[in-house]
Amino acid sequence: MTDIKIPPDHPRAESLRIREKLIAYYSEGMVAVAGLMAHGRGETFDYLLGEKTTKSALKAINAAAVMLLTAKKPVISVNGNTAALVAEEIVKLAHVTNAKIEVNLFYRSLERELVIKKRLKKAGAHEVLGVGENALAKIPELSSERRRVDPNGILVADVVLVPLEDGDRTEALVKMGKKVVAIDLNPLSRTAQNATITIVDNVVRAMPRLVETVEKLKCQGKSELKEVLLNFDNRKNLTEIIALIKESLSELAEKGETLSFGESAI
Ligand code: ATP
Ligand code: MG
């Protein structure tokens, strides 16, 4: 960790703690510089959403839980930011959904892959795919190092969870016929727009909720689960979130109200 002491009563203590965590893992070589920038971009949208898990996000989390539970070969794709922020939840989710965990980086280097693998192993992962020579398969349509995936993981997966992914790769995965579940605070990003299910929420709030929801739904029958997916419309859900942002901004502009921040769903 860095030397900065965050006063517990600081109004943005939690946000500062997350930033410090990312900076510390950046120093360890886990998070890329561009990962720090991506986090800042995410924070902007989190502000606009009142730093809450919205009802629309809860609907997407529910649908995502079902998609993962009913998948034949689910894979959780992990990058530097997600390993830094939610390694324990990734391992828990892999356990309850029988999913494989694969390191998949925009800025790939063996050093970064190994640091991420170590963090995931420490969090309890049995197996971590996509490291070093194991990432020898290639996603069609993508260039350079960004196309490398594990032939036992993402290449053969039917459902891929991509918390924080780049738009090009999301599109490429969808074109390969995979169902993509994304966690992305920006409802306008190409990832959010192209994923099969988009959870517009902070990964630090969404991942524990996703684990909880999978645990809750695990005992339900196949037909009940299918019903959840049939009733979920990703386009409609994204539109609801964009409308929510618009409404809260309009209220602020008209009444001069302040945004309310907190944990509960809005
Ligand atoms: P795209 O390539 O999908 O159009 P982009 O180029 O703007 O998006 P990327 O860096 O490729 O952004 O992807 C990172 C995404 O992760 C961004 O949309 C950012 O808002 C989002 N993000 C960053 N931090 C978090 C977080 N803690 N929780 C959820 N989403 C986050
Ligand atoms: Mg991008």
PDB file of all heavy atoms in Angstrom, residues 138-143 147 168 171-173 175-176:
ATOM      1  N   LYS A 138      -5.999 -18.307 -30.821  1.00  0.00           N
ATOM      2  CA  LYS A 138      -6.170 -16.909 -31.238  1.00  0.00           C
ATOM      3  C   LYS A 138      -7.628 -16.584 -31.547  1.00  0.00           C
ATOM      4  O   LYS A 138      -8.319 -17.382 -32.168  1.00  0.00           O
ATOM      5  CB  LYS A 138      -5.322 -16.639 -32.479  1.00  0.00           C
ATOM      6  CG  LYS A 138      -3.832 -16.718 -32.169  1.00  0.00           C
ATOM      7  CD  LYS A 138      -3.008 -16.288 -33.371  1.00  0.00           C
ATOM      8  CE  LYS A 138      -1.539 -16.164 -32.985  1.00  0.00           C
ATOM      9  NZ  LYS A 138      -0.832 -17.442 -32.958  1.00  0.00           N
ATOM     10  N   ILE A 139      -8.069 -15.425 -31.099  1.00  0.00           N
ATOM     11  CA  ILE A 139      -9.413 -14.953 -31.449  1.00  0.00           C
ATOM     12  C   ILE A 139      -9.321 -14.385 -32.865  1.00  0.00           C
ATOM     13  O   ILE A 139      -8.487 -13.513 -33.124  1.00  0.00           O
ATOM     14  CB  ILE A 139      -9.885 -13.809 -30.509  1.00  0.00           C
ATOM     15  CG1 ILE A 139      -9.851 -14.244 -29.049  1.00  0.00           C
ATOM     16  CG2 ILE A 139     -11.260 -13.323 -30.894  1.00  0.00           C
ATOM     17  CD1 ILE A 139     -10.341 -13.161 -28.084  1.00  0.00           C
ATOM     18  N   PRO A 140     -10.161 -14.860 -33.800  1.00  0.00           N
ATOM     19  CA  PRO A 140     -10.118 -14.278 -35.132  1.00  0.00           C
ATOM     20  C   PRO A 140     -10.494 -12.788 -35.055  1.00  0.00           C
ATOM     21  O   PRO A 140     -11.165 -12.362 -34.119  1.00  0.00           O
ATOM     22  CB  PRO A 140     -11.199 -15.055 -35.908  1.00  0.00           C
ATOM     23  CG  PRO A 140     -11.736 -16.075 -34.995  1.00  0.00           C
ATOM     24  CD  PRO A 140     -11.217 -15.853 -33.622  1.00  0.00           C
ATOM     25  N   GLU A 141     -10.053 -12.019 -36.005  1.00  0.00           N
ATOM     26  CA  GLU A 141     -10.408 -10.597 -36.149  1.00  0.00           C
ATOM     27  C   GLU A 141      -9.667  -9.649 -35.221  1.00  0.00           C
ATOM     28  O   GLU A 141      -9.841  -8.443 -35.302  1.00  0.00           O
ATOM     29  CB  GLU A 141     -11.910 -10.357 -35.933  1.00  0.00           C
ATOM     30  CG  GLU A 141     -12.762 -11.058 -36.955  1.00  0.00           C
ATOM     31  CD  GLU A 141     -14.199 -11.013 -36.562  1.00  0.00           C
ATOM     32  OE1 GLU A 141     -14.691  -9.893 -36.456  1.00  0.00           O
ATOM     33  OE2 GLU A 141     -14.808 -12.074 -36.373  1.00  0.00           O
ATOM     34  N   LEU A 142      -8.873 -10.169 -34.317  1.00  0.00           N
ATOM     35  CA  LEU A 142      -8.113  -9.248 -33.471  1.00  0.00           C
ATOM     36  C   LEU A 142      -6.631  -9.375 -33.803  1.00  0.00           C
ATOM     37  O   LEU A 142      -6.170 -10.435 -34.197  1.00  0.00           O
ATOM     38  CB  LEU A 142      -8.320  -9.575 -31.988  1.00  0.00           C
ATOM     39  CG  LEU A 142      -9.642  -9.160 -31.374  1.00  0.00           C
ATOM     40  CD1 LEU A 142      -9.661  -9.542 -29.904  1.00  0.00           C
ATOM     41  CD2 LEU A 142      -9.870  -7.666 -31.508  1.00  0.00           C
ATOM     42  N   SER A 143      -5.902  -8.285 -33.602  1.00  0.00           N
ATOM     43  CA  SER A 143      -4.489  -8.318 -33.956  1.00  0.00           C
ATOM     44  C   SER A 143      -3.618  -8.492 -32.716  1.00  0.00           C
ATOM     45  O   SER A 143      -4.083  -8.365 -31.588  1.00  0.00           O
ATOM     46  CB  SER A 143      -4.133  -7.018 -34.661  1.00  0.00           C
ATOM     47  OG  SER A 143      -4.474  -5.950 -33.819  1.00  0.00           O
ATOM     48  N   ARG A 147      -5.200 -10.898 -29.086  1.00  0.00           N
ATOM     49  CA  ARG A 147      -6.039 -11.975 -29.587  1.00  0.00           C
ATOM     50  C   ARG A 147      -5.795 -13.313 -28.885  1.00  0.00           C
ATOM     51  O   ARG A 147      -6.527 -14.259 -29.095  1.00  0.00           O
ATOM     52  CB  ARG A 147      -5.845 -12.126 -31.095  1.00  0.00           C
ATOM     53  CG  ARG A 147      -4.472 -12.637 -31.498  1.00  0.00           C
ATOM     54  CD  ARG A 147      -4.211 -12.402 -32.955  1.00  0.00           C
ATOM     55  NE  ARG A 147      -5.224 -13.047 -33.770  1.00  0.00           N
ATOM     56  CZ  ARG A 147      -5.066 -13.393 -35.051  1.00  0.00           C
ATOM     57  NH1 ARG A 147      -3.914 -13.157 -35.643  1.00  0.00           N
ATOM     58  NH2 ARG A 147      -6.008 -13.961 -35.728  1.00  0.00           N
ATOM     59  N   ASP A 168     -13.569  -3.938 -28.594  1.00  0.00           N
ATOM     60  CA  ASP A 168     -13.184  -4.772 -29.748  1.00  0.00           C
ATOM     61  C   ASP A 168     -13.251  -6.246 -29.414  1.00  0.00           C
ATOM     62  O   ASP A 168     -13.723  -7.061 -30.184  1.00  0.00           O
ATOM     63  CB  ASP A 168     -11.724  -4.486 -30.152  1.00  0.00           C
ATOM     64  CG  ASP A 168     -11.635  -3.270 -31.033  1.00  0.00           C
ATOM     65  OD1 ASP A 168     -12.662  -2.578 -31.175  1.00  0.00           O
ATOM     66  OD2 ASP A 168     -10.534  -3.010 -31.553  1.00  0.00           O
ATOM     67  N   GLU A 171     -16.825  -7.512 -28.964  1.00  0.00           N
ATOM     68  CA  GLU A 171     -17.435  -7.745 -30.278  1.00  0.00           C
ATOM     69  C   GLU A 171     -16.916  -9.034 -30.894  1.00  0.00           C
ATOM     70  O   GLU A 171     -17.680  -9.817 -31.461  1.00  0.00           O
ATOM     71  CB  GLU A 171     -17.092  -6.580 -31.223  1.00  0.00           C
ATOM     72  CG  GLU A 171     -18.077  -5.446 -31.156  1.00  0.00           C
ATOM     73  CD  GLU A 171     -17.699  -4.314 -32.103  1.00  0.00           C
ATOM     74  OE1 GLU A 171     -17.197  -4.561 -33.209  1.00  0.00           O
ATOM     75  OE2 GLU A 171     -17.893  -3.161 -31.702  1.00  0.00           O
ATOM     76  N   ALA A 172     -15.599  -9.251 -30.796  1.00  0.00           N
ATOM     77  CA  ALA A 172     -15.002 -10.455 -31.386  1.00  0.00           C
ATOM     78  C   ALA A 172     -15.546 -11.727 -30.719  1.00  0.00           C
ATOM     79  O   ALA A 172     -15.851 -12.710 -31.401  1.00  0.00           O
ATOM     80  CB  ALA A 172     -13.479 -10.398 -31.271  1.00  0.00           C
ATOM     81  N   LEU A 173     -15.715 -11.682 -29.395  1.00  0.00           N
ATOM     82  CA  LEU A 173     -16.245 -12.861 -28.679  1.00  0.00           C
ATOM     83  C   LEU A 173     -17.683 -13.139 -29.109  1.00  0.00           C
ATOM     84  O   LEU A 173     -18.070 -14.293 -29.315  1.00  0.00           O
ATOM     85  CB  LEU A 173     -16.186 -12.653 -27.156  1.00  0.00           C
ATOM     86  CG  LEU A 173     -14.794 -12.617 -26.522  1.00  0.00           C
ATOM     87  CD1 LEU A 173     -14.880 -12.257 -25.050  1.00  0.00           C
ATOM     88  CD2 LEU A 173     -14.075 -13.964 -26.682  1.00  0.00           C
ATOM     89  N   LYS A 175     -19.005 -12.323 -31.964  1.00  0.00           N
ATOM     90  CA  LYS A 175     -18.949 -12.839 -33.348  1.00  0.00           C
ATOM     91  C   LYS A 175     -18.546 -14.301 -33.388  1.00  0.00           C
ATOM     92  O   LYS A 175     -18.899 -15.031 -34.308  1.00  0.00           O
ATOM     93  CB  LYS A 175     -17.960 -12.011 -34.177  1.00  0.00           C
ATOM     94  CG  LYS A 175     -18.584 -10.745 -34.708  1.00  0.00           C
ATOM     95  CD  LYS A 175     -17.742 -10.122 -35.807  1.00  0.00           C
ATOM     96  CE  LYS A 175     -18.275  -8.743 -36.160  1.00  0.00           C
ATOM     97  NZ  LYS A 175     -17.234  -7.777 -36.438  1.00  0.00           N
ATOM     98  N   MET A 176     -17.791 -14.740 -32.375  1.00  0.00           N
ATOM     99  CA  MET A 176     -17.404 -16.161 -32.299  1.00  0.00           C
ATOM    100  C   MET A 176     -18.548 -17.026 -31.777  1.00  0.00           C
ATOM    101  O   MET A 176     -18.394 -18.238 -31.603  1.00  0.00           O
ATOM    102  CB  MET A 176     -16.203 -16.332 -31.355  1.00  0.00           C
ATOM    103  CG  MET A 176     -14.885 -15.867 -31.932  1.00  0.00           C
ATOM    104  SD  MET A 176     -13.637 -15.817 -30.614  1.00  0.00           S
ATOM    105  CE  MET A 176     -13.168 -17.552 -30.525  1.00  0.00           C
TER     106      MET A 176
END
